[in-house]
Amino acid sequence: MSTDTIDDTDRTPTGGFAAEPVSKVGDRVFSGLSRGAGIIILVTLAGVAMFLVWNAMPALTASSKEIGPGGDEGNGKGFLSYVGTLAFGTVWAALLALLIAVPFGVAIALYISHYAPKRLSRTLGYVIDLLAAIPSVVYGLWGIFVLAPTMADHVYPWFSDHLGFVPMFSGKVLASGRSMATVALVLAVMILPIITAISREVFLQTPRLNEEAALALGATRWEMIRIAVLPYGKSGVISGAMLGLGRALGETMAVALILAPANVYSLKLFTSQNPNTIAANIALQFPESTGLEVNTLIATGLVLFAITLFVNLMSRRAARGNIF
Amino acid sequence: MSVSTVEIANAATTSPFDNRTLTASGRAMIVAASLVVGVALSAVLGGVAIVRVVAIAAVLHTAALYLASLRIEGRRRAIDRLMTSVVTGSFVLVLIPLVSVIWTSIDRGAARFDGAFFTETMRGVAGAGGGAKHAIIGTLIITGLAAVLSVPVGILVAVYLVEYGQRNRLSSMITTMVDVMTGIPSIVAGLFAYSLFVIFQGPGARSGIAGAVALSVLMTPVIVRATEEMLRLVSNDLREASFALGVPKWKTIVKVVLPTAVGGILTGITLAIARVIGETAPLLIASGLAQDTNLNPLSGRMTTLPVMSYYGYVAPGFPPEAGYDRGWAAALTLIIIVLVLFTAARVIAKVLQPKGFR
C-alpha cells in the first residue's frame, strides 16, 4: 500500500479537504490506528491458515501406516482414508439438515412476513433471532435426552417397517436413536432460525408496489407471494441456506453429543453405521490425543476449513445473484 | 399450473361479481368435522392421544378446506387456502421442537438451579452436589477477555472501512477477509488458538487466554459488520457540518460519528457476546476442563459453562443423574444469560437511538 494518508482522505466523499490543515498529527495517528486494526484482521487470518498448515504438516507428510485408527501400532490406513469418511459424514449430515430446514425456513419466514398479524410478526422475528443464539450444547442435550428416544420409539420403526425398501431407511433401527437421522433433525432445528431470519428480511423488503400491483390485478395472497415476493427473495433465501449449510458443516457439540459414530461410508439413516463428522470427531478425540494424533486432527480441521470456505464463497456469489 | 398475470387479470375482469365464498358456518363445520374424524381415527389407530388427534385433524382440515373451496370458490382460491394452511401448519410444527428445547432446559435445569449451584465448585465432588461457580467465573473471564481483544479492533476496522479506506485495495481485501472470518467454524478457531499457544506453553497446554483468542476470532467479524452498518447509517451532513467548523477528521469521527452510532454499536457488541458466550467446541480444545476456580487466564485449564454442561453428560460420574442435572442447570444458566444479553441489546438500541432515527 503506497498511498499515503492525505491521498486517502482526498478520495473519500465524506472527508474532503476540511480536516487537512488543522491537526495533521491527530489524523495521522488515528488513521494509522484504524488501518493497523485492519491489517491485524489480515494477519490473524493468515495466522489461522499458517498455524493450521504448520501443525497439520506432520500428519500430511507422515507415512500412511501411522495415521488413522491403529496408527500408533503401524496399522493405520493413511490420512486420506481417515478424513474421507469424516468429510463424507460432514457433508451428508449438513445436506440432510439443509433439505429439512429450507422448506420450513421459507414457510416460517413467509408466515412471519406475510401471514401473521403485524404486531405478532415483530415479536416472532425477535424470538427467531433469540433461538439462533441458543448455545449448540443445549440443542445437543435436547437431542440426546428428548428427541433421540422419542424418534427411536415412535417414528423410525414406522419408516423402517413401511418404507424399508428405500435404501436410506433400511437396516436395523438403533434403539438409542443416536443415528444420522436424529443428527440431521437437530441440525435442521439449529439452522432453521438462521435461514428464517435472512429469508424474512428479504421477504419484508419486497417492493410494496409490486405486491400491491399483484393484488390490484386480483391475485390471491398466495399468487401475490409467488409472482412478487418469492422471485424477489430468491437470492436471499439461497444465501440464507448457504449460511445455514456453513453452520451445519461446522457444528460440533450437537453432533458429538448425539451421534454413535462408526468409521464407514453409509447413507442409512437409522442404523448404528453412522459416518462421523470432522468437527465432532475433533471434539471427541482431541482431549485424549497426543503427538501425531493431534496433528492428524488439526489436518482434518484444515479440510473442514476448506469445505466451509468453499461454501461461503458460493454464498457470497449467491447473495450477488451470480449463480442459479 | 403457472399463474400468469394475464390469467389473474382475466379472472378479475371476467367475473367481478362471481364472488361466492365459503361462509363462516361452512368453515366451522369443516373444523368440527375434522376434529370429530380425527378423534375417531386416532381411536382406531391406537388410543386417543392429544398429539395424534391434533395431527390427524390438522391434515384432514387442510384437505377438507381445500376440497370445499375448490367446489365453491374455484381453483385459485382453493390453492390460496391450501397454501395458507401449509404455511401456518409448518410454522406450528416447527414451534414444537423449539418450544420443547426451551421447556426441557427449564424443566430439567430446575433440579439443580439452586444456591449451591452458584456458590460451590466441582472440587472433590464425585457424585451428587457441587456447583458451577468455577465455570461461571471462567465464562466471565474468557468472554470478557475475548471482548477486550475484539471490540477495539472490530470498531477500528469498521472505522477504517467506512471513514478512511473507501474503495481502496486494502479495504476491499479486509472486507473479503472479514467475510471469510465470519465463516470460520468455531472448532477451527479453537484449533488455531491451540496451535498458537502450543508455541509458548508447550504441547497439551490449555489456558483461559487461548480460549479468549479463539472466541475473539469468532467475535471480531461480527463486531466489524455491525459497526460498519451503523457507521454507514450516520448522515454525511453531520460529518460535513463538523468539517465546516474546522474540526479535524479524527475528532469528527470520535466526537460526532461514533457517538451518533453508539447505540447500534453497543447492540452489535452485546449480540456478538451473546453469540460466543455459548461456544463450546473451541473452549473444549483451547481451555479444557478444570474442577476448581482458576483466576489466572495465562496458565492452567479454565472451565466455562458450556464445557461444564457438555461434560455433565459425557462424564457424569456416579450416580449419572447428578451429573446430568448439573449439565442441564449449566445449560439453563447459559440460556438465561443469552436472554438477558438479548434484552439488554434491545434496551440499549432503544435508549441510545439518535433522535434522527426514531
Side-chain angles (χ1 to χ4, degrees):
Chain A
M1 288 286 102
S2 59
T3 44
D4 62 82
T5 325
I6 305 296
D7 222 20
D8 279 350
T9 326
D10 287 347
R11 258 191 269 139
T12 58
T14 55
F17 299 90
E20 204 185 311
V22 186
S23 164
K24 269 190 173 171
V25 183
D27 268 339
R28 281 265 165 81
V29 169
F30 196 73
S31 78
L33 267 180
S34 64
R35 182 192 292 235
I39 291 170
I40 286 181
I41 295 271
L42 301 184
V43 171
T44 309
L45 208 72
V48 170
M50 226 172 61
F51 280 111
L52 288 182
V53 171
W54 178 257
N55 278 285
M57 257 330 186
L60 298 175
T61 52
S63 91
S64 63
K65 285 199 175 103
E66 295 174 65
I67 308 286
D72 27 358
E73 296 113 50
N75 294 328
K77 286 191 175 150
F79 179 71
L80 280 183
S81 138
Y82 179 65
V83 80
T85 55
L86 293 174
F88 169 77
T90 306
V91 175
W92 176 231
L95 283 180
L96 281 174
L98 199 66
L99 211 64
I100 304 167
V102 167
F104 280 109
V106 172
I108 300 170
L110 276 179
Y111 181 80
I112 295 175
S113 67
H114 284 83
Y115 284 85
K118 265 267 142 36
R119 286 195 70 91
L120 188 63
S121 88
R122 266 226 184 132
T123 318
L124 288 175
Y126 170 66
V127 171
I128 294 288
D129 286 347
L130 183 65
L131 288 167
I134 287 189
S136 58
V137 68
V138 178
Y139 283 107
L141 286 177
W142 174 76
I144 192 72
F145 277 99
V146 179
L147 188 69
T150 313
M151 299 305 273
D153 286 349
H154 302 294
V155 180
Y156 299 158
W158 187 90
F159 272 94
S160 167
D161 290 348
H162 295 85
L163 297 167
F165 54 87
V166 181
M168 273 162 62
F169 300 143
S170 64
K172 189 172 176 294
V173 173
L174 185 63
S176 65
R178 305 178 65 166
S179 51
M180 192 50 106
T182 310
V183 167
L185 283 172
V186 171
L187 286 181
V189 172
M190 293 179 67
I191 63 176
L192 202 82
I194 299 173
I195 298 175
T196 305
I198 293 174
S199 308
R200 176 186 64 111
E201 220 155 90
V202 282
F203 290 161
L204 283 174
Q205 280 167 9
T206 312
R208 193 97 195 111
L209 284 177
N210 290 11
E211 294 180 16
E212 280 168 6
L215 291 175
L217 286 170
T220 61
R221 179 156 56 180
W222 170 245
E223 286 163 355
M224 179 270 281
I225 288 171
R226 262 190 62 187
I227 60 182
V229 179
L230 290 183
Y232 183 82
K234 200 173 99 184
S235 70
V237 171
I238 292 171
S239 73
M242 288 296 210
L243 261 182
L245 183 62
R247 175 154 182 202
L249 287 169
E251 176 45 43
T252 312
M253 301 324 290
V255 184
L257 278 165
I258 295 166
L259 198 69
N263 196 11
V264 290
Y265 290 97
S266 165
L267 293 175
K268 291 180 180 157
L269 295 180
F270 306 140
T271 66
S272 57
Q273 298 297 300
N274 305 298
N276 205 354
T277 71
I278 293 178
N281 183 62
I282 296 173
L284 290 173
Q285 308 290 337
F286 201 88
E288 273 88 49
S289 294
T290 50
L292 196 58
E293 293 164 350
V294 171
N295 299 124
T296 311
L297 289 175
I298 291 176
T300 62
L302 201 61
V303 173
L304 177 64
F305 188 25
I307 296 175
T308 47
L309 203 64
F310 175 74
V311 169
N312 282 320
L313 225 72
M314 283 298 158
S315 119
R316 264 161 61 85
R317 283 206 178 170
R320 278 186 265 124
N322 283 357
I323 55 169
F324 304 109
Chain B
M1 252 290 296
S2 90
V3 188
S4 69
T5 343
V6 179
E7 189 188 341
I8 295 169
N10 281 342
T13 47
T14 51
S15 57
F17 301 109
D18 181 22
N19 47 7
R20 290 200 301 161
T21 53
L22 275 174
T23 56
S25 60
R27 296 195 51 186
M29 266 170 61
I30 292 174
V31 171
S34 14
L35 266 177
V36 170
V37 179
V39 171
L41 259 181
S42 63
V44 173
L45 286 172
V48 181
I50 291 187
V51 179
R52 199 175 296 141
V53 171
V54 170
I56 295 175
V59 173
L60 285 175
H61 177 261
T62 306
L65 189 63
Y66 173 72
L67 291 174
S69 169
L70 191 61
R71 260 193 80 81
I72 298 169
E73 300 173 328
R75 191 177 59 83
R76 290 177 45 219
R77 300 283 285 279
I79 290 176
D80 184 47
R81 284 191 187 280
L82 179 68
M83 290 319 292
T84 305
S85 303
V86 168
V87 166
T88 315
S90 337
F91 177 73
V92 175
L93 190 65
V94 164
L95 278 185
I96 296 171
L98 295 177
V99 169
S100 171
V101 169
I102 305 278
W103 170 245
T104 315
S105 312
I106 296 172
D107 187 37
R108 303 212 45 165
R112 272 309 314 280
F113 203 71
D114 48 25
F117 187 75
F118 295 99
T119 51
E120 290 174 18
T121 69
M122 287 299 293
R123 184 175 189 169
V125 177
K133 185 183 155 202
H134 61 309
I136 293 171
I137 292 173
T139 299
L140 293 180
I141 292 177
I142 290 180
T143 317
L145 270 178
V148 167
L149 288 174
S150 47
V151 168
V153 174
I155 292 180
L156 280 173
V157 170
V159 165
Y160 181 75
L161 291 178
V162 178
E163 307 290 338
Y164 288 102
Q166 276 169 345
R167 283 178 303 164
N168 74 13
R169 279 244 310 279
L170 180 63
S171 78
S172 72
M173 239 162 88
I174 293 172
T175 308
T176 313
M177 290 304 133
V178 167
D179 276 352
V180 170
M181 260 177 120
T182 318
I184 291 183
S186 60
I187 193 140
V188 173
L191 289 175
F192 159 66
Y194 173 82
S195 317
L196 179 67
F197 280 87
V198 156
I199 299 173
F200 308 120
Q201 303 181 325
R206 311 275 198 277
S207 64
I209 185 80
V213 166
L215 290 190
S216 68
V217 168
L218 301 169
M219 210 171 153
T220 310
V222 183
I223 294 176
V224 173
R225 282 284 182 74
T227 311
E228 199 187 338
E229 209 167 289
M230 285 304 132
L231 292 182
R232 288 198 198 283
L233 282 180
V234 174
S235 159
N236 263 343
D237 297 350
L238 286 178
R239 295 188 181 90
E240 277 156 17
S242 172
F243 294 147
L245 292 172
V247 180
K249 181 159 180 161
W250 72 275
K251 248 188 186 164
T252 304
I253 295 170
V254 174
K255 299 256 165 160
V256 177
V257 179
L258 285 176
T260 311
V262 73
I265 295 173
L266 282 178
T267 307
I269 292 171
T270 317
L271 292 181
I273 293 175
R275 286 274 146 77
V276 299
I277 208 166
E279 282 294 349
T280 318
L283 299 177
L284 191 69
I285 284 174
S287 297
L289 179 77
Q291 303 300 343
D292 202 358
T293 312
N294 174 10
L295 292 176
N296 180 5
L298 294 178
S299 85
R301 293 166 181 247
M302 192 183 268
T303 309
T304 55
L305 277 169
V307 173
M308 178 180 171
S309 183
Y310 172 70
Y311 275 105
Y313 175 74
V314 178
F318 188 83
E321 277 68 31
Y324 295 164
D325 285 346
R326 278 193 299 267
W328 277 109
L332 180 61
T333 316
L334 261 181
I335 291 182
I336 291 173
I337 292 175
V338 170
L339 198 73
V340 168
L341 285 172
F342 254 72
T343 317
R346 271 207 136 182
V347 172
I348 291 170
K350 269 244 167 74
V351 171
L352 292 178
Q353 207 169 27
K355 289 196 177 68
F357 292 94
R358 254 187 251 270

